[in-house]
Amino acid sequence: MAKTKAQKQEIIKQLSDKLSQIKSAIFVNYYGLKVKELQKLRKLCKEQKIDFLIAKKKLFKLCLEKNDLKEIYLKKTEGELGVILSYADEIAPAKILKDFQKEHKILKINGGILEKNFIGADEILNLAKLPSKHELLAKLIGGINAPIFGFVNVLAGNLRNLVGVLQAIKEKKA
């Protein structure tokens, strides 16, 4: 059933609102995936607070133009258009797709948006190889904590040596 002009305008408005808040977006061709497989992908995205949308290319192109993303080329996207939108972590969608693609080879990554620029499928796969935001924060905290831990360990070593000397003196006198 065809959508009315008012329905299309509402879809454009909703998509534009979402596009204005994204950190990254990835375009996929989901043609050939079964409904259960699409539901699994949606569930994986939802767990990470990422949206997976299916949109008509023409409507999505209008949304891109409305958000000053005219240089994004949807012509490079082949087949059906699925869009994965991330609002918090730029790398999370790429990691989800890379893992999902291991089991479902039919899913094709066509490109995406990062920092309001178009990026290709190869760049998205390279992003997926990067550590996650949480891993990077853990490494940073570990790096900051290492000198403090070393300093405390040196101070504790002096106390251990003092106790050892006092214990030796006590045993010598006894």
Side-chain angles (χ1 to χ4, degrees), residues 23 25 31 40 46 71 148 150:
K23 295 259 184 166
Y31 183 78
K40 182 180 177 184
K46 194 172 186 177
E71 66 276 355
I148 296 169

Side-chain angles (χ1 to χ4, degrees), residues 118-130:
F118 183 82
I119 57 174
D122 295 336
E123 294 173 74
I124 291 170
L125 293 175
N126 287 336
L127 276 178
K129 295 175 186 174
L130 293 174

Side-chain angles (χ1 to χ4, degrees), residues 27-94:
F27 308 128
V28 296
N29 179 0
Y30 62 89
Y31 183 78
L33 285 177
K34 296 177 180 151
V35 174
K36 283 189 177 187
E37 295 168 337
L38 273 174
Q39 288 174 341
K40 182 180 177 184
L41 179 58
R42 283 184 194 269
K43 184 180 176 188
L44 290 171
C45 290
K46 194 172 186 177
E47 289 171 358
Q48 297 286 328
K49 297 180 181 170
I50 296 170
D51 285 342
F52 176 69
L53 308 170
I54 294 173
K56 294 222 177 247
K57 288 181 190 175
K58 195 169 191 174
L59 291 179
F60 197 74
K61 184 179 178 187
L62 291 172
C63 295
L64 290 172
E65 289 173 1
K66 194 172 182 180
N67 282 294
D68 295 326
L69 297 169
K70 294 175 186 170
E71 66 276 355
I72 307 301
Y73 302 108
L74 287 178
K75 291 178 183 173
K76 291 183 180 180
T77 60
E78 301 169 356
E80 304 299 322
L81 178 65
V83 184
I84 298 175
L85 305 171
S86 177
Y87 306 104
D89 189 1
E90 295 89 347
I91 299 173

